[in-house]
Amino acid sequence: MDPGGIIPHMTILRHNAPMSKTNNTDLPIGIFDSGVGGLTVLKAIRTELPKEDLVYLGDTARLPYGTKSPISIERYATQATAKLQEQGIKLLVVACNTASAVALDALQQQMSPLPVIGVVDPGATAAVKARAGGSHLVLATEATVRLRAYHEAILSRDPGAIVREQACEMLVSLAEEGWTDGDIAERIIRRYLEEASDDGFTPDSIILGCTHFPLLKDAIRAVAVDEVTLVDSASTTAAFVRETLEADGACHRSDTAGSLRFLATDGATRFARVGGHFLGEALAPDDVELVDL
Ligand code: DGL
């Protein structure tokens, strides 16, 4: 149990859970991110599926992924997935936009026949739903932008849409540092938005195409034009996870709240401190188990 009682309805498991048979509905959902940003996705899944056990792996030793080459990102993502497979999971959520953009196909092969859900497709679905035929500005990491992942995902759903992508690496650091509002955050955001719109481009929607950017929502809203819709993929991803489990008859049949388990590749104290901002609840270093990939 959480020692401070801060997470009252969840059991936090600190040690290796027994390995169970694959495709067992009682197995946890595995959630993987390069760091703690994916905890925003975990939070949405927990709201959508409160009875599911969740095991989260943050590859904090190798964060950030967004500035790395596709070869390294795919290698890191397959190693992280292997670690979650070792724990026994029934479905993998790739909560990291960068890993989703680069390595989703490789991870789907690795997990086959079990399902793998990334965040780019749900984000594109949410954007098209919010503004069909609209113009979208995707804020993401360098690697996600380089691969034009959102561009393709949106146009495949809505060929009339206009998509522009802007790499915003510094926003990752701002969110990690907890500088998510006020003058510094707003000036940096303004600089990125101006860079994306220097030819007069005015988006109908801004897609938060990085795990860290939901924390900067208020600052982005303060800088962007009033009419713009902010699109966050976390809740759409969580809904998609529920639909997938339901379709596969793989929902947990328990009546009690699910457990949470946190794995990280480095820095339990930092994971707990920074992760608490993303989760919206305090975490203790003892809640985080360090693993090697
Ligand atoms: N998790 C990454 C993403 O969503 C952001 C942090 C990183 O670059 O690793 O793209």
Side-chain angles (χ1 to χ4, degrees):
M1 291 291 281
D2 166 44
I6 303 158
I7 305 179
H9 305 301
M10 282 279 171
T11 305
I12 296 180
L13 304 178
R14 298 214 178 94
H15 302 291
N16 285 343
M19 175 97 168
S20 309
K21 207 166 46 123
T22 322
N23 216 6
N24 177 338
T25 58
D26 295 341
L27 287 177
I29 295 170
I31 303 168
F32 151 62
D33 181 39
S34 56
V36 293
L39 291 170
T40 52
V41 178
L42 175 140
K43 191 174 163 189
I45 293 174
R46 197 172 137 195
T47 304
E48 187 83 27
L49 292 160
K51 292 176 186 163
E52 295 293 338
D53 296 333
L54 307 178
V55 54
Y56 181 94
L57 170 59
D59 191 8
T60 39
R62 301 188 288 196
L63 175 96
Y65 280 15
T67 51
K68 307 281 183 340
S69 66
I71 289 177
S72 296
I73 295 165
E74 186 169 312
R75 183 159 53 85
Y76 296 167
T78 50
Q79 288 170 349
T81 298
K83 177 57 73 178
L84 286 168
Q85 284 177 304
E86 246 175 54
Q87 315 300 311
I89 56 172
K90 62 181 172 184
L91 177 151
L92 175 70
V93 179
V94 186
C96 177
N97 288 262
T98 305
S100 299
V102 174
L104 198 68
D105 291 348
L107 301 183
Q108 280 170 337
Q109 271 184 28
Q110 186 177 347
M111 281 285 291
S112 178
L114 298 177
V116 178
I117 294 172
V119 284
V120 172
D121 283 331
T125 302
V128 168
K129 199 166 155 202
R131 294 293 178 115
S135 35
H136 307 277
L137 174 61
V138 182
L139 306 183
T141 64
E142 273 174 40
T144 305
V145 168
R146 215 182 304 125
L147 283 168
R148 308 187 84 210
Y150 273 97
H151 194 270
E152 283 174 22
I154 291 171
L155 289 189
S156 70
R157 288 162 174 77
D158 183 6
I162 297 168
V163 183
R164 183 165 294 186
E165 289 157 293
Q166 173 70 39
C168 307
E169 281 305 326
M170 212 177 272
L171 301 190
V172 174
S173 311
L174 280 179
E176 289 266 326
E177 203 61 33
W179 295 0
T180 50
D181 56 11
D183 187 46
I184 295 175
E186 289 179 18
R187 284 171 67 177
I188 295 172
I189 291 165
R190 182 168 296 113
R191 174 76 193 268
Y192 283 127
L193 295 188
E194 281 171 3
E195 206 171 300
S197 302
D198 59 357
D199 58 354
F201 175 73
T202 26
D204 301 310
S205 95
I206 294 180
I207 300 169
L208 307 175
C210 170
T211 47
H212 286 57
F213 300 171
L215 261 70
L216 293 152
K217 231 178 194 167
D218 290 346
I220 295 171
R221 192 168 288 294
V223 174
V225 292
D226 287 349
E227 304 74 39
V228 81
T229 305
L230 295 194
V231 177
D232 173 0
S233 60
S235 54
T236 318
T237 302
F240 194 49
V241 171
R242 180 180 47 71
E243 286 160 21
T244 304
L245 289 181
E246 283 171 358
D248 291 353
C251 292
H252 202 300
R253 284 185 287 269
S254 149
D255 281 337
T256 54
S259 65
L260 275 182
R261 193 165 162 229
F262 300 104
L263 313 179
T265 51
D266 188 46
T269 303
R270 184 175 167 85
F271 184 107
R273 179 169 52 79
V274 182
H277 296 305
F278 286 86
L279 192 60
E281 293 173 35
L283 277 175
D286 280 354
D287 296 331
V288 184
E289 198 182 320
L290 290 183
V291 291
D292 267 333
L293 301 186

